[in-house]
Every structure is written in C-alpha cells, then in structure tokens.
Amino acid sequence: MTASSKISSIKGFKDLLPDETARRRRLTDAACRVLETYGYGCIDLPLLEQSALFTMSVGVTTDIVEKEMYAFEDRDGTVIALRPEATASVVRAYIQAGLSRSSPVSRFYYVGPMFRRERPQKGRLRQFHQIGAEFLGREDAAADAETICLVDDICRAAKLKGYRIRLNSLGDGECRPAYREALKAYAAARVDELCADCRTRIERNPLRLLDCKQPGCNAAMSDAPMMVDHLSEACKEHHERVLSLLDEMGVETEPDPRMVRGLDYYCRTAFEIVAEGLGAQDSVGGGGRYDGLVESLGGPSTAGVGFAFGIERMELASSLGGGALARAEKVTVVPLDPRAEAPALVLARSMRAVGLDVEVGPSAQKLKAQMKRADKAGARWVVIVGDDELSSRLATVRDMTKKKDYPSCLPLDAGTDAVEAKLRELGVTFGGS
Ligand code: HAM
C-alpha cells in the first residue's frame, strides 16, 4: 500500500452521515415509544458471542449459520461470532441473569447492528440494523396476538407503506417430524426438477424447500403438503385462537401456508411483515414463537415469542419524515464582545433545554462574518448579543427567512421558561414529529 492509497469501508458495511442518522433516530424513536407502551424494557447486548450460541439456536444447517456468519477464532482459541441476530443473545442473557427465576415473564427490546455475510444489494447489507422484541414466559395464544398487534402498531408508527403481516403455523416437536417426512417424500419424488441447493435441503432442511426462489423449484413444490394441514390438535387450537383474537382486535393478517423462517428455533406461530418500496427483499421484519429455545440453551422450559424489523428496510418503506426532517429549528447565537460570551452560552443552554439546535459563534468575529456563518449552517434564527443587548439585558432575534429583526426582545437573565415563551411568540418551531 502506498502512502496515498485510500481505504474505503468493507463491502456491505455502510457509513451513516448526520442527515441519515437523524432520520434513523426518528424512526427508531417512534418504534421504541410503541414498545415502551407495551411494557418492553430496553436490553443492550454484546455484538460478539460464542459461536455455539447461534449454532445451537438458529441452527447448524441454516444459511445464516452455515454460509453467512462471521465466525472466527479468538486469540485464545475460542470460536466467537459477530451476532447474526439477537434472539439467542436475549435468551442467553435472560438465563445468565437468573431472570427465569426472578422475573419469568419478561419483555425486552433491542436496537443495534447484526452481521450476515450475504450478497449486498438494495435492502441487504452485511452489517444491518434491527429493532426487535422478545416476550418470554408466556405460552398462551393471547401473547402471540398481543405481539402481532404490537408489530402492527410499530408499522403504523413507522408509517410503512402498504405493509402486510403474513401468518403461518410451523407446528411443534410433536407434529413437525411427521410433516417433514411427508415433505421429504414429496420432494424426493421430484428431485430431478430441483436446484442443487434444494437437493441437499431434502435431507438437511426440508422446510426451506418451500421458499426457494428458483422458478423450477417453485413449480415442483407447488402442490407440496402444507404444515397447516398437518398440525397436532394442540397446535391447531393455538393457531385458531391466535387468528380469532387478532380478528377481534381488528389486526389484519394474511394466511401464508408456504412461509417458513430462515431460523430453526420457531414453533407454532410464525409471521413476516412485507411492505412496498423494497424490491426483491420485501421482508421488512419477521418473527414467531420459540418455546423450546430457553431450554435448549440450558435454561428451564420457558415459552417465548418475538420479532425483529430490519431498520434499513423500514427506512426504504417508511414515509416518516422522508428527506425533510421535522427537526427542531436551528439557531445561531452571536456574541459580539467577550463580555457577551457567558450570556450567549447561558441563553444557548436554555434554548437547547427546550429542544432547539443551537450553535454559538466566536465573539472575535464581526457581525457580518458571523451572519454569513449562520446562514451557511442553515440557521433559521440568529440571536445577537452586542453592546445594546448587554445594557438592556435583552437579546435581538433575527428571523433569517423573513429577514426581519426583533430588537432587544429575548431576556438574558429570566430563565428557560421565559426564553421559551418569547420564542414561541416569535413563531419558533421546537421540532418533534
Ligand atoms: P430474520 O427474519 O432473520 O429474523 O430478520 C429480521 C429482519 O431483519 C428481516 O425481515 C430483514 O428486514 C432484516 N434483515 C435480515 N437480514 C438482513 C440483511 N442482510 N440486510 C438488511 N436487513 C436484513 C430474525 O433475525 C429473528 N431474530 C427475529 C425474531 C425475534 N424472532 C423472534 N424474535
């Protein structure tokens, strides 16, 4: 490498510039607010875990673990992995913190990066972000219905265009083995029509035969047996109860008997959220029930249901904010003398406390230069503190859009409430949604 060669980011790993982070924050804030109204608390988890956590939960034969996981040997020989998802980590943390005893029914949500070495394209990255939620300790159908209702509310809060929630039941340890055999037998009879991947799936992961995108496989599997027709009595009853509760709650879902998920831990209820604006990667989120997971990771038998949205895909499908952010208006405070610095900083602090974006200029610069800077920074308002203002203890406000001055009007010493009241009178917008 020469001294002048440029280093760019790794393929599939993206920078987010300030405008993009602002929009993202708005979207995640909207979703987090909904989650908190449902009683979910925020959990923050490590990005690196022992690789075995994911092989034991997501499944050794899944694409996520087999082909996409960033797993490597640490310096001490431990095999660790960048998390490809967070459900397994939440369950690990729940067991590790002893919550299965102290707080068996727990609701967690998380926001953060996940890593999968997929082929990057629109809506598909190698480092992407999820907002997800896990509801542990409840096995009744009402927990599934509440979770799907929460998903619906997040879609609304995030203003996802044309979203739909697709629903299926994947059965459980009692009825799925017989269904897998039926599916295997069906596929084995059509092996010549299947792609190379699907041929290996027959033995390794037959459920995935149902969602192969290859037209040949699609046609060959079009009359395949469906899980919903092979459910045990208990699974069937559960599924019907979920559907009837959702119906009573007015939450619209679409049955999708071909939907399987790319992770092995699901049982019974499984769902995916699709939306407009995403192209080929139309799944903006997904989730379902995973009653065996806590036990398989060494905890006591505990039910669980949850979901995760891909934040980048939410951004593509969301009409929230768009490019134009309803951010707080920008203010530049202009001190014109060293004696004006302290009052300018105090005033800026009061304005920030009421939600404005405030920048304070350098007192060594002349008014003209400071106004130019403010204009360039996109300030909607400029607050000037010069000699006159110091004597009257009232700052001058300039409306940069209307090019209008309000001489000596903003109190320097009266506190935040008085500053806010005056700014509202002048028509300043305080941001929010
Ligand atoms: P998942 O379906 O693998 O589920 O991922 C959830 C969402 O993450 C997807 O619907 C998609 O929006 C987003 N996503 C996945 N891969 C990528 C990628 N390479 N680039 C961009 N976005 C992506 C899970 O991860 C489960 N842990 C969800 C869950 C929680 N189930 C129960 N609890």
Side-chain angles (χ1 to χ4, degrees), residues 169 171-172 175 227-243 268:
S169 172
D172 63 7
C175 53
M227 186 69 236
V228 276
D229 302 319
H230 288 74
L231 294 176
S232 66
E233 267 316 301
C235 286
K236 195 165 167 224
E237 206 179 288
H238 185 94
H239 190 51
E240 279 167 4
R241 181 76 185 134
V242 174
L243 292 176
R268 296 192 166 173

Side-chain angles (χ1 to χ4, degrees), residues 130-204:
Q130 285 186 346
I131 179 159
E134 311 298 344
F135 183 5
L136 290 154
R138 283 263 308 267
E139 62 181 1
D140 54 317
D144 307 41
E146 186 192 284
T147 304
I148 294 167
C149 184
L150 163 60
V151 162
D152 192 43
D153 282 347
I154 291 176
C155 292
R156 279 168 206 263
K159 296 203 167 101
L160 299 190
K161 287 170 281 184
Y163 74 88
R164 298 189 311 274
I165 304 170
R166 294 186 175 150
L167 191 61
N168 196 14
S169 172
L170 300 177
D172 63 7
E174 192 191 319
C175 53
R176 207 183 310 155
Y179 170 67
R180 279 168 66 106
E181 290 310 314
L183 197 57
K184 276 163 75 172
Y186 175 92
R190 288 157 186 82
V191 69
D192 296 341
E193 299 161 53
L194 301 176
C195 70
D197 276 349
C198 279
R199 284 181 201 172
T200 63
R201 282 182 186 130
I202 297 178
E203 279 310 315
R204 288 167 64 77

Side-chain angles (χ1 to χ4, degrees), residues 40 81 101 131 160 200 207 223 281 341 361:
Y40 283 73
R101 285 185 305 276
I131 179 159
L160 299 190
T200 63
L207 259 60
D223 285 328
Q281 309 301 322
E341 279 174 352

Side-chain angles (χ1 to χ4, degrees), residues 132-375:
E134 311 298 344
F135 183 5
L136 290 154
R138 283 263 308 267
E139 62 181 1
D140 54 317
D144 307 41
E146 186 192 284
T147 304
I148 294 167
C149 184
L150 163 60
V151 162
D152 192 43
D153 282 347
I154 291 176
C155 292
R156 279 168 206 263
K159 296 203 167 101
L160 299 190
K161 287 170 281 184
Y163 74 88
R164 298 189 311 274
I165 304 170
R166 294 186 175 150
L167 191 61
N168 196 14
S169 172
L170 300 177
D172 63 7
E174 192 191 319
C175 53
R176 207 183 310 155
Y179 170 67
R180 279 168 66 106
E181 290 310 314
L183 197 57
K184 276 163 75 172
Y186 175 92
R190 288 157 186 82
V191 69
D192 296 341
E193 299 161 53
L194 301 176
C195 70
D197 276 349
C198 279
R199 284 181 201 172
T200 63
R201 282 182 186 130
I202 297 178
E203 279 310 315
R204 288 167 64 77
N205 202 347
L207 259 60
R208 299 295 301 186
L209 289 162
L210 291 174
D211 70 351
C212 178
K213 302 283 184 288
Q214 300 286 338
C217 302
N218 219 292
M221 298 304 290
S222 60
D223 285 328
M226 291 295 148
M227 186 69 236
V228 276
D229 302 319
H230 288 74
L231 294 176
S232 66
E233 267 316 301
C235 286
K236 195 165 167 224
E237 206 179 288
H238 185 94
H239 190 51
E240 279 167 4
R241 181 76 185 134
V242 174
L243 292 176
S244 92
L245 284 168
L246 287 170
D247 190 41
E248 281 183 66
M249 293 158 88
V251 177
E252 263 182 56
T253 58
E254 285 177 4
D256 184 354
R258 301 184 71 86
M259 190 237 296
V260 290
R261 305 266 304 124
L263 309 95
D264 280 355
Y265 48 62
Y266 293 112
C267 66
R268 296 192 166 173
T269 308
F271 52 87
E272 265 177 15
I273 307 103
V274 294
E276 285 168 11
L278 294 170
Q281 309 301 322
D282 69 348
S283 159
V284 68
R289 179 161 280 288
Y290 46 85
D291 292 349
L293 185 58
V294 180
E295 204 171 359
S296 72
L297 292 175
S301 165
T302 308
V305 54
F307 60 86
F309 282 92
I311 296 177
E312 286 81 359
R313 294 190 194 173
M314 281 178 116
E315 284 168 345
L316 290 169
S318 167
S319 60
L320 193 73
L325 281 170
R327 274 168 72 164
E329 288 180 332
K330 282 193 178 164
V331 181
T332 297
V333 185
V334 170
L336 292 175
D337 184 284
R339 286 177 305 131
E341 279 174 352
L345 290 168
V346 170
L347 201 53
R349 193 176 189 196
S350 298
M351 290 192 281
R352 291 187 187 115
V354 296
L356 293 169
D357 287 359
V358 188
E359 208 175 276
V360 182
S363 72
Q365 257 180 12
K366 294 266 184 288
L367 178 63
K368 203 170 158 199
Q370 293 218 46
M371 292 307 287
K372 219 167 143 186
R373 265 173 47 97
D375 198 36

Side-chain angles (χ1 to χ4, degrees), residues 378-392:
R380 169 70 165 66
W381 305 89
V382 173
V383 174
I384 302 160
V385 190
D387 281 347
D388 292 349
E389 288 78 12
L390 284 170
S391 349
S392 65

